Amino acid sequence: SLDANLKKNTGFIKKCKASMGQDNAPQLLREVKLLRLDKYVSEIVPAAADGLLRCKQASDVSAAIDVISALHARFPATFTVPLITQLLKQLQPPNIAALTQMTSEQREKEEQARQAKQKTLLRVVGEMFLGGLLWGIDAIPDGVEGVDRTEAFMLSFAGATNSNKAVSKVRDLVKQPGYSVFAGALQNLFVSDREHHLSCVLAASVAKAFRGDFALAESDSLETAASTVSLAGMQSDTSEHVVTEDMCKRIKMILQEYCDSAVEHVTSMHKSLLKVRRKADERLFTKGVVHSEVKEKLERHERSFDRLAESVRLLCESLAREPPHLENAADDGDQLGISFDAPAAPARKW
């Protein structure tokens, strides 16, 4: 019989919260088999969500998936569905209005924290999807109770809102071929970000981690990407295609279209930056001075451009695409032989 000792069961919760990575995983896997845990599932879910955020390396994510799989085998409805629901709540796009109210330093710090967290969570959700752990949510078979597919998709597609309009939209979306919890998370993050591309580094991370699994590059074959996975924890005697060609196509389309818009954005930003830099250099050449406010604004724009250009390069590389050819934003101004960092010579009088 399973051990119902209070101290041991609550200790398991504390270990989950501390880390779900490779350091704690072997002990957690042993305890899943030995402890009763059923009275504590509602506490294990938030603890596991916290522990997953401490999985920074691929090996830690892999170890965490093993623990999640063991818990899923015992509690598919009461553990897995609330867990993925909680993870999707943390995979929401950034609040643009709130970011605009911050200083550039605050905004950069906020975005770095969001991206670090969501990079880990996207890897976790993707691996759960590939491992068949979300099959009971993506495609509910006859006779399986306790899985609310619409509620899980609600958080992914509609940003955790429960409005009637959102519910209707989600019910229509989940009926279409190719939709999955993972595709929903990607759509929620990237489709709404085609103007600012604040999540470009996340798209690059997903493309790099899952290119082979979902045939994400144009040249990749979908036939080798769709995989058959045995279904752990579900009452079914038959194997199903957990990852179908339609699902791969949907994920591929989301990332490819996001990459298209990012390339267009960085190319346009590059042209604008060169134009502004040229005007500033011309003023420096003719007047001998450029106001510090203008210099600081240009430097800020150049830093933003450099970050986006690097993210786009990584995304294109992960999708086996040719990155846009962008010359250094300062090269155009160098034709005048002028640097903002050097003291300006006084204007020559003729």
Side-chain angles (χ1 to χ4, degrees), residues 121-138:
L121 294 180
L122 284 170
R123 184 67 182 264
V124 169
V125 175
E127 294 293 351
M128 288 178 69
F129 175 53
L130 285 170
L133 304 183
L134 304 181
W135 181 77
I137 302 171
D138 289 330

Side-chain angles (χ1 to χ4, degrees), residues 13-268:
I13 298 171
K14 292 178 181 178
K15 292 187 186 78
C16 286
K17 186 170 185 177
S19 174
M20 296 280 282
Q22 56 185 340
D23 291 341
N24 273 1
Q27 180 65 27
L28 291 173
L29 285 169
R30 283 193 294 270
E31 293 184 0
V32 168
K33 298 177 182 179
L34 298 175
L35 302 179
R36 187 167 180 178
L37 298 177
D38 57 324
K39 294 182 179 180
Y40 306 94
V41 175
S42 62
E43 297 176 60
I44 294 173
V45 169
D50 287 342
L52 287 171
L53 291 176
R54 294 173 172 81
C55 297
K56 303 303 181 183
Q57 305 297 324
S59 55
D60 289 320
V61 173
S62 179
I65 294 299
D66 290 339
V67 178
I68 292 172
S69 297
L71 288 165
H72 172 79
R74 289 189 58 186
F75 315 108
T78 55
F79 171 75
T80 310
V81 175
L83 177 65
I84 192 61
T85 299
Q86 187 152 333
L87 297 184
L88 292 175
K89 286 181 179 179
Q90 299 182 68
L91 283 172
Q92 299 300 320
N95 186 327
I96 302 299
L99 289 175
T100 57
Q101 301 300 316
M102 301 178 184
T103 65
S104 58
E105 291 79 11
Q106 290 173 330
R107 189 161 52 247
E108 185 172 345
K109 185 177 180 180
E110 179 74 15
E111 277 300 280
Q112 285 178 347
R114 177 187 71 88
Q115 291 168 4
K117 178 175 73 172
Q118 293 185 339
K119 180 180 178 180
T120 297
L121 294 180
L122 284 170
R123 184 67 182 264
V124 169
V125 175
E127 294 293 351
M128 288 178 69
F129 175 53
L130 285 170
L133 304 183
L134 304 181
W135 181 77
I137 302 171
D138 289 330
I140 303 174
D142 293 336
V144 175
E145 301 293 338
V147 180
D148 190 343
R149 181 185 184 195
T150 301
E151 175 63 20
F153 274 102
M154 177 71 64
L155 294 162
S156 181
F157 284 109
T161 180
N162 289 316
S163 68
N164 291 333
K165 184 177 180 181
V167 171
S168 177
K169 179 182 178 182
V170 170
R171 290 190 186 281
D172 291 337
L173 286 172
V174 299
K175 294 176 184 177
Q176 297 179 13
Y179 275 94
S180 61
V181 169
F182 189 47
L186 297 181
Q187 175 163 325
N188 197 38
L189 275 175
F190 301 142
V191 173
S192 62
D193 187 43
R194 289 182 183 173
E195 179 181 354
H196 303 283
H197 296 98
L198 297 176
S199 297
C200 194
V201 67
L202 298 178
S205 175
V206 170
K208 182 178 181 180
F210 297 110
R211 174 186 166 182
D213 298 302
F214 301 114
L216 296 177
E218 289 291 349
S219 58
D220 291 343
S221 171
L222 285 169
E223 293 180 0
T224 60
S227 59
T228 301
V229 183
S230 60
L231 308 173
M234 287 295 168
Q235 303 301 316
S236 175
D237 296 329
T238 60
S239 287
E240 300 283 344
H241 278 281
V242 176
V243 183
T244 66
E245 286 195 18
D246 283 337
M247 289 176 175
C248 290
K249 288 178 182 177
R250 174 64 62 180
I251 293 169
K252 182 174 185 174
M253 181 191 72
I254 292 169
L255 288 170
Q256 288 286 353
E257 290 183 352
Y258 184 78
C259 186
D260 289 339
S261 64
V263 168
E264 183 178 346
H265 182 184
V266 77
T267 302
S268 174

